[in-house]
């Protein structure tokens, strides 16, 4: 394999073939430099929601670029960020009232963790213990890796990671064990916060759990005064069938992280929303109680314009109908695959579908992984299994024929890649 100037993410350049070069994109489709079309069946890492280059977002980006590109956000603000913050508060689960901008899912979670510790310090009762769910993924920075589950991805960095209280994942039928563990953790010593991906652990294997369990976790946290951080970086913006996954449990977290689809997936922006209590614990004449966080591009005006345009699309277009349509198609495709002995654990949540391929060696490094990716690409479909877990998470504009193509590619997996 050739050494490359660009060092790609999650890529072992020593074994992986040269990357596919994309020249343009539209809707659910990518187009390579040599004019091959590839279906973006994973929304480019769960980022793109409505489809690539939605005209309303493209126009908003152009218009904002003509007015204001970037301005320091400490001591300064701009109308696009102000309008967006108010919109975010109005559509988020009720009770979240303050918006802190950043630029990626990871930073939105880092900010959430800092807000939680700042809250406890601010109210004069310092708590620092963080609890997190097994199989969780919250990003690749040191703090978010600490909260995420441990394994191959972060073994090298382990000495730098801080300890969290690990709560067992609420597997179907074993939810009580999760709730009991959370209750015990809260009783053992005061917990600053529990961080969860609501309803589904994404990168940890597309593992789904019930809304009732999420509601119970919130109830236990509230009872013990622990904050609940909902990381909706993947689940937000309609992926699970509602605008935010927390809605399905009827809960409002104390802190909510959103990114990816906030701009429809067009530009990097993130936001951490906080309850009045969390904000008020920092609001003071004492400068030491400042939320000490910033990144250069906080609330970049062009990104904020893209986010406002995204919300306009939600308000003016039948986005929920598109989501329901994708969800229904996913259900029927996955039901059909479930009949096939090569697959197991079919599951769907809103627009997200996943199934496990029976392989001799499971896990992220399952030898089938790279071969599966190459197979899908040869069929004109971008799918990037998590080990032997194949998931389909298309943009909401995906048509019946788009999804049929994705599932044809899955059905045509060469026999030597499965153990069935
Ligand atoms: N949190 C969740 C639930 C995610 O799925 C991701 C990314 O996939 C992140 C955080 C990190 O987001 P980013 O890659 O934008 O830093």
């Amino acid at each position: 394999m050739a050494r490359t100037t660009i060092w790609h993410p999650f890529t072992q350049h020593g074994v992986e073939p040269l990357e596919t070069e994309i020249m343009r994109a539209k809707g659910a489709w990518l187009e390579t430099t040599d004019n091959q079309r590839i279906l973006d069946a994973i929304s480019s890492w769960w980022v793109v929601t409505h489809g690539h280059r939605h005209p309303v977002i493209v126009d908003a980006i152009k218009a904002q670029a003509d007015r204001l590109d970037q301005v320091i956000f400490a001591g300064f603000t701009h109308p696009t960020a102000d309008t967006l913050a108010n919109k975010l508060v109005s559509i988020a689960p009720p009770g979240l009232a303050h918006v802190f901008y950043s630029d990626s899912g990871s930073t939105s979670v880092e900010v959430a963790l800092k807000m939680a510790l700042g809250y406890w310090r601010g109210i004069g009762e310092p708590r620092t213990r963080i609890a997190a769910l097994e199989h969780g993924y919250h990003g690749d920075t040191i703090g978010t890796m600490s909260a995420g589950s441990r394994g191959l991805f972060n073994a090298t960095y382990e000495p730098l990671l801080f300890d969290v209280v690990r709560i067992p994942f609420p597997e179907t039928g074993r939810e009580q064990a999760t709730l009991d563990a959370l209750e015990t953790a809260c009783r053992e010593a005061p917990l600053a916060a529990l961080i969860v991906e609501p309803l589904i652990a994404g990168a940890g294997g597309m593992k789904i759990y019930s809304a009732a369990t999420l509601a119970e976790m919130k109830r236990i946290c509230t009872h013990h005064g622990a904050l609940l951080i909902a990381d909706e970086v993947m689940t937000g913006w309609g992926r699970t069938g509602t605008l935010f996954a927390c809605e399905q449990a009827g809960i409002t977290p104390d802190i909510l992280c959103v990114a990816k689809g906030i701009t429809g997936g067009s530009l990097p922006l993130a936001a951490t929303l906080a309850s009045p209590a969390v904000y008020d614990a920092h609001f003071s004449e004492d400068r030491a109680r400042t939320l000490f966080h910033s990144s250069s591009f906080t609330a970049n005006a062009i990104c904020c314009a893209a986010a406002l345009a995204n919300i306009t699309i939600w308000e003016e277009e039948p986005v929920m109908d598109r989501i329901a349509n994708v969800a229904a198609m996913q259900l029927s495709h996955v039901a059909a695959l479930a009949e096939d002995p090569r697959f197991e654990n079919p599951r769907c949540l809103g627009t997200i579908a996943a199934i496990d391929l029976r392989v001799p060696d499971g896990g992220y490094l399952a030898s089938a992984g790279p071969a599966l990716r190459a197979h899908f690409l040869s069929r004109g479909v971008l799918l990037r299994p998590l080990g032997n877990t194949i998931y389909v998470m298309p943009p909401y504009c995906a048509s019946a024929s788009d999804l049929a193509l994705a599932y044809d590619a899955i059905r045509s997996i060469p026999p030597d890649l499965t153990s069935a």
Side-chain angles (χ1 to χ4, degrees):
M1 288 299 147
R3 286 180 163 75
T4 53
T5 305
I6 299 180
W7 198 340
H8 287 263
F10 271 77
T11 301
Q12 177 42 269
H13 285 283
V15 292
E16 292 184 37
L18 277 179
E19 56 284 344
T20 310
E21 192 173 58
I22 300 300
M23 203 56 179
R24 49 179 74 80
K26 190 165 186 343
W29 288 85
L30 308 170
E31 201 180 308
T32 65
T33 326
D34 47 7
N35 303 323
Q36 276 179 299
R37 276 161 49 86
I38 299 173
L39 176 69
D40 190 353
I42 58 163
S43 302
S44 279
W45 261 340
W46 333 330
V47 165
V48 176
T49 48
H50 310 295
H52 290 270
R53 287 200 304 112
H54 190 295
V56 172
I57 297 176
V58 172
D59 288 348
I61 290 172
K62 287 181 185 164
Q64 182 66 50
D66 266 346
R67 279 196 308 273
L68 169 69
D69 49 359
Q70 162 75 18
V71 62
I72 181 173
F73 209 61
F76 288 78
T77 190
H78 56 82
T80 315
D82 290 341
T83 311
L84 176 61
N86 287 317
K87 287 268 185 194
L88 286 171
V89 165
S90 71
I91 61 177
L96 293 165
H98 304 278
V99 177
F100 190 98
Y101 290 115
S102 60
D103 45 24
S104 73
S106 301
T107 46
S108 73
V109 173
E110 294 283 353
V111 169
L113 295 170
K114 288 169 84 168
M115 279 181 180
L117 265 65
Y119 166 79
W120 290 107
R121 189 165 189 261
I123 65 167
E125 193 193 322
R127 295 188 185 189
T128 55
R129 278 173 91 227
I130 301 290
L133 285 187
E134 271 174 7
H135 300 292
Y137 175 79
H138 301 286
D140 285 328
T141 53
I142 297 296
T144 57
M145 278 193 296
S146 301
S149 72
R150 306 293 165 88
L152 169 79
F153 302 111
N154 41 42
T156 308
Y157 323 111
E158 182 82 36
L160 295 184
L161 306 186
F162 56 80
D163 283 338
V164 301
V165 182
R166 201 66 64 187
I167 307 293
F169 183 84
E171 305 282 356
T172 309
R174 302 220 312 271
E175 293 87 350
Q176 196 54 46
T178 301
L179 302 175
D180 291 346
L182 178 58
E183 185 77 48
T184 306
C186 290
R187 284 180 199 278
E188 271 167 4
L191 212 58
L194 167 70
I195 179 165
V196 299
E197 292 164 86
L199 303 188
I200 178 167
M206 299 296 161
K207 292 169 71 72
I208 298 169
Y209 65 95
S210 71
T213 308
L214 177 59
E216 268 304 286
M217 290 195 284
K218 168 65 181 156
R219 188 193 60 74
I220 294 170
C221 286
T222 306
H223 180 73
H224 292 279
L227 300 177
L228 180 71
I229 301 172
D231 173 355
E232 293 237 23
V233 170
M234 182 182 89
T235 53
W237 307 104
R239 290 286 177 206
T240 69
T242 44
L243 180 58
F244 297 108
C246 284
E247 291 169 25
Q248 295 181 40
I251 60 154
T252 297
D254 302 281
I255 302 174
L256 174 79
C257 306
V258 290
K260 296 194 187 240
I262 189 175
T263 59
S266 60
L267 286 175
L269 183 75
T272 310
L273 277 65
S275 68
V278 170
Y279 180 86
D280 288 350
H282 292 81
F283 186 84
S284 165
E285 289 181 358
D286 177 2
R287 286 179 173 274
R289 280 167 59 176
T290 302
L291 174 57
F292 288 109
H293 193 92
S294 140
S295 39
S296 308
F297 288 102
T298 296
N300 171 270
I302 301 172
C303 298
C304 287
L308 259 186
N310 164 48
I311 296 176
T312 302
I313 294 168
W314 273 91
E315 288 168 347
E316 294 180 0
E317 296 188 17
V319 179
M320 284 312 287
D321 293 348
R322 290 176 196 147
I323 285 174
N325 182 40
V326 169
M329 292 191 289
Q330 292 275 53
L331 268 177
S332 76
H333 280 295
V334 165
L337 269 192
E339 309 285 305
D340 187 324
R342 293 174 298 166
F343 301 99
E344 58 188 344
N345 303 327
R347 50 206 187 269
C348 279
L349 178 66
T351 68
I352 307 168
I355 199 157
D356 300 338
L357 180 69
R358 289 185 206 268
V359 290
D361 57 335
Y364 185 78
L365 285 189
S367 50
L372 283 173
R373 261 187 267 157
H375 162 74
F376 295 137
L377 215 45
S378 74
R379 308 278 302 212
V381 180
L382 164 55
L383 282 171
R384 196 182 159 92
L386 297 156
N388 61 321
T389 297
I390 300 168
Y391 68 92
V392 181
M393 206 189 302
Y396 310 148
C397 62
S399 67
S401 61
D402 293 342
L403 279 179
L405 182 76
Y407 283 91
D408 279 348
I410 295 173
R411 252 187 307 276
S412 65
I413 287 172
D416 58 322
L417 292 183
T418 104
S419 61

